[in-house]
Amino acid sequence: MNQNETPLFDALLRHAARQPVQFHIPGHKRGRGMDNRFRSFVGDNALSLDLINIAPLDDLHHPTGAIKHAQELAAEAFGADYTYFSVQGTSTAIMTMVLATVGPGEKILVPRNVHKSVLTAIILADAHPIFLHPEVDREFGISHGLSVETVADALHRHPDARALVVINPTYFGIAADLARIVEIAHSVGVPVLVDEAHGVHTGFHPELPLSAMEAGADMAATSVHKLGGSMTGSSVLNVREGMIDPRHVQVVLSMLTTTSTSYLLLASLDVARKELAMFGRDRIGYAIALANRARAEIEQIPGLTCMDKRQLGGSATYALDPTKLTISVKDLGLTGYDVERILREDYNIEVELSDLYNILCIVSWGDSEDDVAALVTALREIAGRFRPREMKEHAPVTLPSMPELRMTPRSAFYAPTEVVPLQESVGRTMAEMVMVYPPGIPILLPGEIITQDNIDYIEANLRAGLPVQGPDDPEIRMIKVVKQDS
Ligand SMILES: Cc1ncc(COP(=O)(O)O)c(C=O)c1O
């Protein structure tokens, strides 16, 4: 196949050039029926590609033409047997992986720090989650992936599990020994589903961790939009045939997908795949070099520590994506959220996320030397302003404990509920989800028994101004729990 081709984008361009009279949706008709300010800002070119699944443009739900060809090229580029495009982000690709492999009452092994889409799918499937402890980094206060030992032990205790979910690499760019995890899971007939939201680029540069497909995984939900150059909301689901039936996967994905699929998003996947396949190695090499220079400079700033290869060592911390700059700010006596706010308000810099202890900055081939220099200068100034007065010798790092599951997430979600003050909820069964977003990792899930430790962690995040989300009450003073007698 010729990876320089972009069959879907080309089909759209050919179609737009013909300027057909359009008696179909979208009703804005190439922007003419739209708000003028929006139209002139976005531009007629983009709006002329905002089309629907008419015959010349193929149909994502039953591809036979340009979309099929574009997906085949993507499969070759990602080393998959089949690749399916998603216009609903990696969340829908993840839900597809879960719903295509587990059914009601069936066990699925999942790391506790999974994205909420895994849990949503578990509720929809009425599956029985077996939560596994990810490795924890006490210095940075973050969770990594699963160790080989944890996976082996879980498979030994639950040989009837229908699937294993792995996050690889994590948001912070840490990858586990995925090839070994896959080998162990396959030896007992369990397929491996990889949340590869943060790893689209991994297969395109030798200095990066192995991609899910390179490691032999069965499916991978991969955010092309996050680090691969396509538009927000566009992702792929990569599938290896063998333990998985690709046709069934396609049916499930179609069930979860809108019938109004955005062609702008689809075309952006087509061109991003071409860029990755043709020029990925050079582009990623540039991003790695840029990030490594920034890391070296940030390390020189008193009070700041950057995650790097020193954090590697175990099977859960096996490899690092150096383009992720995880910067611990706790020794400045500030939270990551404080630093995020200062960077925004005083320096016009936006970071990817912050938590109690860190900020995360993502470096890509879209960044310039000047962008990185601006970040380093700002961090140096902030450290100068705060460190002398407020530095703490050993700021304690805490992470929430993993609660016990009293009933399945689905039974708790649909059980009769009542609303109680968060502070008075110890021992009750949670009926909604509480998580910090980003990164969307749960603190409490439906079905779990609430502990004081969880409440303290929620309070600490709220006090720091971090985005705790999920419950009906946005202030999280009250939460929904399963009624006492149900
Ligand atoms: C680990 C992880 N998985 C899945 C997702 C969902 O990806 P998307 O936003 O493309 O739906 C995210 C989003 O941040 C994520 O961090």
Side-chain angles (χ1 to χ4, degrees), residues 88-94 113-118 167-171 195-198 221-226 232-235 352-353 437-441:
Q88 291 168 187
T90 299
S91 298
T92 298
I94 287 177
N113 54 337
V114 277
H115 187 257
K116 68 174 182 153
S117 52
V118 177
I167 309 159
N168 210 67
T170 64
Y171 215 140
D195 173 347
E196 204 175 42
H198 301 288
T222 307
S223 293
V224 186
H225 71 93
K226 283 190 169 56
T232 294
S234 60
S235 291
E352 170 66 15
L353 69 76
Y437 186 88
I441 287 165

Short mmCIF file of all heavy atoms in Angstrom, two decimals, residues 88-94 113-118 167-171 195-198 221-226 232-235 352-353 437-441, ligand 1:
data_model
loop_
_atom_site.label_atom_id
_atom_site.label_comp_id
_atom_site.label_asym_id
_atom_site.label_seq_id
_atom_site.Cartn_x
_atom_site.Cartn_y
_atom_site.Cartn_z
N GLN A 88 -15.98 9.60 17.84
CA GLN A 88 -16.40 9.90 19.20
C GLN A 88 -15.27 9.59 20.18
O GLN A 88 -15.49 9.06 21.27
CB GLN A 88 -17.66 9.09 19.56
CG GLN A 88 -18.86 9.54 18.79
CD GLN A 88 -20.04 8.61 18.87
OE1 GLN A 88 -21.01 8.82 18.18
NE2 GLN A 88 -19.99 7.56 19.66
N GLY A 89 -14.08 9.96 19.75
CA GLY A 89 -12.93 9.83 20.62
C GLY A 89 -12.57 8.40 20.95
O GLY A 89 -13.14 7.43 20.41
N THR A 90 -11.61 8.30 21.86
CA THR A 90 -11.17 6.99 22.31
C THR A 90 -12.18 6.40 23.28
O THR A 90 -12.25 5.17 23.46
CB THR A 90 -9.76 7.15 22.94
OG1 THR A 90 -8.91 7.64 21.91
CG2 THR A 90 -9.19 5.85 23.45
N SER A 91 -12.97 7.26 23.91
CA SER A 91 -13.98 6.76 24.86
C SER A 91 -14.88 5.72 24.18
O SER A 91 -15.13 4.64 24.75
CB SER A 91 -14.84 7.91 25.38
OG SER A 91 -14.04 8.83 26.08
N THR A 92 -15.37 6.02 22.99
CA THR A 92 -16.26 5.07 22.31
C THR A 92 -15.49 3.82 21.86
O THR A 92 -16.01 2.71 21.90
CB THR A 92 -16.97 5.75 21.12
OG1 THR A 92 -17.75 6.80 21.66
CG2 THR A 92 -17.87 4.81 20.37
N ALA A 93 -14.25 4.02 21.46
CA ALA A 93 -13.43 2.86 21.06
C ALA A 93 -13.21 1.95 22.28
O ALA A 93 -13.25 0.72 22.17
CB ALA A 93 -12.11 3.33 20.47
N ILE A 94 -13.01 2.56 23.44
CA ILE A 94 -12.82 1.76 24.66
C ILE A 94 -14.11 1.03 25.01
O ILE A 94 -14.10 -0.17 25.34
CB ILE A 94 -12.38 2.68 25.83
CG1 ILE A 94 -10.93 3.12 25.63
CG2 ILE A 94 -12.56 1.99 27.18
CD1 ILE A 94 -10.40 4.09 26.67
N ASN A 113 -7.11 2.57 38.02
CA ASN A 113 -7.04 3.94 37.50
C ASN A 113 -7.50 4.06 36.05
O ASN A 113 -7.04 4.91 35.31
CB ASN A 113 -5.60 4.48 37.64
CG ASN A 113 -4.55 3.58 37.02
OD1 ASN A 113 -4.77 2.39 36.84
ND2 ASN A 113 -3.42 4.14 36.68
N VAL A 114 -8.45 3.19 35.66
CA VAL A 114 -8.94 3.27 34.27
C VAL A 114 -9.78 4.51 34.04
O VAL A 114 -10.35 5.08 34.97
CB VAL A 114 -9.84 2.06 33.87
CG1 VAL A 114 -9.02 0.90 33.45
CG2 VAL A 114 -10.87 1.76 34.92
N HIS A 115 -9.88 4.86 32.78
CA HIS A 115 -10.72 5.99 32.36
C HIS A 115 -12.18 5.64 32.59
O HIS A 115 -12.58 4.47 32.53
CB HIS A 115 -10.45 6.24 30.88
CG HIS A 115 -11.11 7.46 30.35
ND1 HIS A 115 -12.25 7.42 29.59
CD2 HIS A 115 -10.80 8.77 30.47
CE1 HIS A 115 -12.60 8.65 29.26
NE2 HIS A 115 -11.74 9.48 29.77
N LYS A 116 -12.99 6.67 32.78
CA LYS A 116 -14.40 6.42 33.10
C LYS A 116 -15.15 5.67 31.99
O LYS A 116 -16.15 5.02 32.25
CB LYS A 116 -15.11 7.73 33.43
CG LYS A 116 -15.27 8.65 32.27
CD LYS A 116 -16.12 9.85 32.66
CE LYS A 116 -16.30 10.72 31.46
NZ LYS A 116 -17.44 11.52 31.38
N SER A 117 -14.65 5.74 30.76
CA SER A 117 -15.33 5.03 29.67
C SER A 117 -15.32 3.51 29.90
O SER A 117 -16.26 2.82 29.50
CB SER A 117 -14.68 5.37 28.32
OG SER A 117 -13.29 5.17 28.39
N VAL A 118 -14.27 3.00 30.54
CA VAL A 118 -14.22 1.56 30.84
C VAL A 118 -15.34 1.24 31.82
O VAL A 118 -16.06 0.24 31.67
CB VAL A 118 -12.85 1.17 31.46
CG1 VAL A 118 -12.84 -0.31 31.85
CG2 VAL A 118 -11.71 1.48 30.52
N ILE A 167 -3.74 0.06 30.60
CA ILE A 167 -3.54 1.44 30.12
C ILE A 167 -2.07 1.54 29.72
O ILE A 167 -1.19 1.38 30.57
CB ILE A 167 -3.79 2.48 31.22
CG1 ILE A 167 -5.14 2.23 31.89
CG2 ILE A 167 -3.69 3.90 30.68
CD1 ILE A 167 -5.22 2.85 33.28
N ASN A 168 -1.79 1.79 28.48
CA ASN A 168 -0.39 1.78 28.05
C ASN A 168 -0.14 2.68 26.84
O ASN A 168 -0.74 2.44 25.80
CB ASN A 168 0.03 0.35 27.69
CG ASN A 168 1.49 0.12 27.94
OD1 ASN A 168 1.94 0.14 29.07
ND2 ASN A 168 2.23 -0.04 26.88
N PRO A 169 0.73 3.70 26.97
CA PRO A 169 1.32 4.21 28.19
C PRO A 169 0.29 5.00 29.01
O PRO A 169 -0.80 5.27 28.50
CB PRO A 169 2.44 5.14 27.69
CG PRO A 169 2.20 5.36 26.25
CD PRO A 169 1.16 4.44 25.78
N THR A 170 0.65 5.37 30.23
CA THR A 170 -0.27 6.17 31.04
C THR A 170 -0.26 7.61 30.55
O THR A 170 0.55 8.00 29.71
CB THR A 170 0.18 6.18 32.51
OG1 THR A 170 1.46 6.84 32.58
CG2 THR A 170 0.28 4.77 33.07
N TYR A 171 -1.16 8.38 31.11
CA TYR A 171 -1.23 9.81 30.78
C TYR A 171 0.16 10.45 30.95
O TYR A 171 0.57 11.34 30.21
CB TYR A 171 -2.22 10.50 31.74
CG TYR A 171 -3.01 11.63 31.12
CD1 TYR A 171 -4.36 11.80 31.43
CD2 TYR A 171 -2.43 12.54 30.26
CE1 TYR A 171 -5.11 12.83 30.87
CE2 TYR A 171 -3.16 13.57 29.70
CZ TYR A 171 -4.50 13.72 30.01
OH TYR A 171 -5.22 14.74 29.47
N ASP A 195 -5.92 0.49 26.48
CA ASP A 195 -6.28 1.90 26.39
C ASP A 195 -5.01 2.63 25.97
O ASP A 195 -4.10 2.84 26.78
CB ASP A 195 -6.77 2.38 27.76
CG ASP A 195 -7.00 3.90 27.78
OD1 ASP A 195 -6.56 4.58 26.85
OD2 ASP A 195 -7.62 4.38 28.76
N GLU A 196 -4.95 2.95 24.68
CA GLU A 196 -3.74 3.58 24.13
C GLU A 196 -4.03 5.05 23.80
O GLU A 196 -3.54 5.59 22.80
CB GLU A 196 -3.30 2.80 22.87
CG GLU A 196 -1.85 2.95 22.54
CD GLU A 196 -1.41 2.07 21.36
OE1 GLU A 196 -2.14 1.97 20.35
OE2 GLU A 196 -0.32 1.48 21.44
N ALA A 197 -4.83 5.66 24.68
CA ALA A 197 -5.20 7.06 24.45
C ALA A 197 -3.96 7.94 24.33
O ALA A 197 -3.96 8.94 23.61
CB ALA A 197 -6.09 7.56 25.59
N HIS A 198 -2.91 7.57 25.05
CA HIS A 198 -1.72 8.43 25.07
C HIS A 198 -0.54 7.80 24.33
O HIS A 198 0.62 8.14 24.61
CB HIS A 198 -1.35 8.75 26.53
CG HIS A 198 -2.49 9.43 27.24
ND1 HIS A 198 -2.83 10.73 26.96
CD2 HIS A 198 -3.41 8.97 28.11
CE1 HIS A 198 -3.90 11.05 27.68
NE2 HIS A 198 -4.28 10.01 28.37
N ALA A 221 -7.45 0.96 21.74
CA ALA A 221 -8.20 2.19 21.46
C ALA A 221 -7.19 3.33 21.53
O ALA A 221 -6.60 3.58 22.58
CB ALA A 221 -9.29 2.37 22.50
N THR A 222 -6.99 3.97 20.40
CA THR A 222 -5.82 4.83 20.23
C THR A 222 -6.25 6.24 19.83
O THR A 222 -6.87 6.43 18.79
CB THR A 222 -4.92 4.20 19.14
OG1 THR A 222 -4.66 2.83 19.50
CG2 THR A 222 -3.61 4.92 18.99
N SER A 223 -5.87 7.21 20.65
CA SER A 223 -6.28 8.60 20.38
C SER A 223 -5.37 9.25 19.35
O SER A 223 -4.33 9.81 19.70
CB SER A 223 -6.19 9.45 21.64
OG SER A 223 -7.12 9.08 22.60
N VAL A 224 -5.77 9.19 18.09
CA VAL A 224 -4.97 9.87 17.08
C VAL A 224 -5.03 11.38 17.34
O VAL A 224 -4.07 12.11 17.14
CB VAL A 224 -5.47 9.54 15.66
CG1 VAL A 224 -4.55 10.14 14.60
CG2 VAL A 224 -5.58 8.04 15.47
N HIS A 225 -6.17 11.83 17.87
CA HIS A 225 -6.33 13.27 18.07
C HIS A 225 -5.44 13.81 19.19
O HIS A 225 -5.09 14.99 19.18
CB HIS A 225 -7.79 13.62 18.36
CG HIS A 225 -8.30 13.19 19.70
ND1 HIS A 225 -8.27 14.02 20.79
CD2 HIS A 225 -8.89 12.04 20.13
CE1 HIS A 225 -8.83 13.40 21.83
NE2 HIS A 225 -9.20 12.19 21.46
N LYS A 226 -5.04 12.95 20.14
CA LYS A 226 -4.27 13.50 21.26
C LYS A 226 -2.84 13.83 20.84
O LYS A 226 -2.37 14.92 21.07
CB LYS A 226 -4.27 12.52 22.43
CG LYS A 226 -5.58 12.52 23.22
CD LYS A 226 -5.43 11.71 24.49
CE LYS A 226 -6.58 11.86 25.46
NZ LYS A 226 -7.91 11.56 25.02
N THR A 232 -9.64 16.97 17.22
CA THR A 232 -10.18 16.53 18.50
C THR A 232 -11.44 15.68 18.32
O THR A 232 -12.36 16.07 17.59
CB THR A 232 -10.47 17.76 19.39
OG1 THR A 232 -9.21 18.36 19.68
CG2 THR A 232 -11.15 17.37 20.69
N GLY A 233 -11.44 14.52 18.98
CA GLY A 233 -12.60 13.62 18.88
C GLY A 233 -12.40 12.49 17.88
O GLY A 233 -13.24 11.60 17.79
N SER A 234 -11.27 12.50 17.15
CA SER A 234 -11.06 11.42 16.16
C SER A 234 -10.03 10.42 16.70
O SER A 234 -8.96 10.81 17.14
CB SER A 234 -10.56 12.01 14.83
OG SER A 234 -9.35 12.70 15.02
N SER A 235 -10.40 9.17 16.69
CA SER A 235 -9.53 8.11 17.22
C SER A 235 -9.64 6.88 16.34
O SER A 235 -10.47 6.84 15.43
CB SER A 235 -9.98 7.72 18.63
OG SER A 235 -9.73 8.75 19.53
N GLU A 352 -1.39 20.73 30.06
CA GLU A 352 -2.34 19.64 29.77
C GLU A 352 -3.21 19.33 30.99
O GLU A 352 -4.41 19.24 30.90
CB GLU A 352 -1.57 18.40 29.33
CG GLU A 352 -2.37 17.12 29.23
CD GLU A 352 -3.42 17.13 28.12
OE1 GLU A 352 -3.35 18.01 27.24
OE2 GLU A 352 -4.31 16.26 28.16
N LEU A 353 -2.56 19.15 32.13
CA LEU A 353 -3.33 18.93 33.36
C LEU A 353 -2.47 19.24 34.56
O LEU A 353 -1.24 19.36 34.48
CB LEU A 353 -3.87 17.50 33.44
CG LEU A 353 -2.97 16.30 33.62
CD1 LEU A 353 -2.46 16.16 35.06
CD2 LEU A 353 -3.75 15.04 33.32
N TYR A 437 -11.17 15.09 36.82
CA TYR A 437 -11.03 15.17 35.36
C TYR A 437 -10.39 16.50 34.94
O TYR A 437 -10.93 17.53 35.32
CB TYR A 437 -12.38 15.06 34.66
CG TYR A 437 -12.17 15.00 33.18
CD1 TYR A 437 -11.96 13.79 32.55
CD2 TYR A 437 -12.08 16.16 32.43
CE1 TYR A 437 -11.67 13.74 31.20
CE2 TYR A 437 -11.80 16.11 31.08
CZ TYR A 437 -11.60 14.91 30.48
OH TYR A 437 -11.29 14.86 29.15
N PRO A 438 -9.39 16.58 34.07
CA PRO A 438 -8.61 15.43 33.69
C PRO A 438 -7.80 14.90 34.89
O PRO A 438 -7.58 15.67 35.80
CB PRO A 438 -7.69 15.98 32.60
CG PRO A 438 -7.58 17.45 32.84
CD PRO A 438 -8.85 17.84 33.50
N PRO A 439 -7.42 13.65 34.79
CA PRO A 439 -7.46 12.71 33.68
C PRO A 439 -8.69 11.80 33.67
O PRO A 439 -8.74 10.89 32.85
CB PRO A 439 -6.20 11.88 33.91
CG PRO A 439 -6.02 11.87 35.39
CD PRO A 439 -6.59 13.15 35.91
N GLY A 440 -9.67 12.01 34.49
CA GLY A 440 -10.88 11.18 34.41
C GLY A 440 -10.76 9.87 35.16
O GLY A 440 -11.41 8.88 34.83
N ILE A 441 -9.91 9.86 36.15
CA ILE A 441 -9.66 8.61 36.91
C ILE A 441 -10.52 8.59 38.17
O ILE A 441 -10.60 9.59 38.88
CB ILE A 441 -8.16 8.49 37.21
CG1 ILE A 441 -7.48 8.13 35.89
CG2 ILE A 441 -7.89 7.44 38.26
CD1 ILE A 441 -6.03 8.29 35.87
C1 LIG B 1 -6.21 7.17 29.79
C2 LIG B 1 -7.33 7.72 28.96
N1 LIG B 1 -8.15 6.88 28.33
C3 LIG B 1 -9.16 7.30 27.55
C4 LIG B 1 -9.40 8.63 27.38
C5 LIG B 1 -10.56 9.05 26.52
O1 LIG B 1 -10.14 9.58 25.31
P1 LIG B 1 -11.09 10.52 24.45
O2 LIG B 1 -11.05 11.86 25.12
O3 LIG B 1 -10.46 10.52 23.10
O4 LIG B 1 -12.45 9.96 24.44
C6 LIG B 1 -8.58 9.57 28.01
C7 LIG B 1 -8.84 10.99 27.86
O5 LIG B 1 -8.21 11.84 28.43
C8 LIG B 1 -7.52 9.09 28.82
O6 LIG B 1 -6.71 9.94 29.47
#
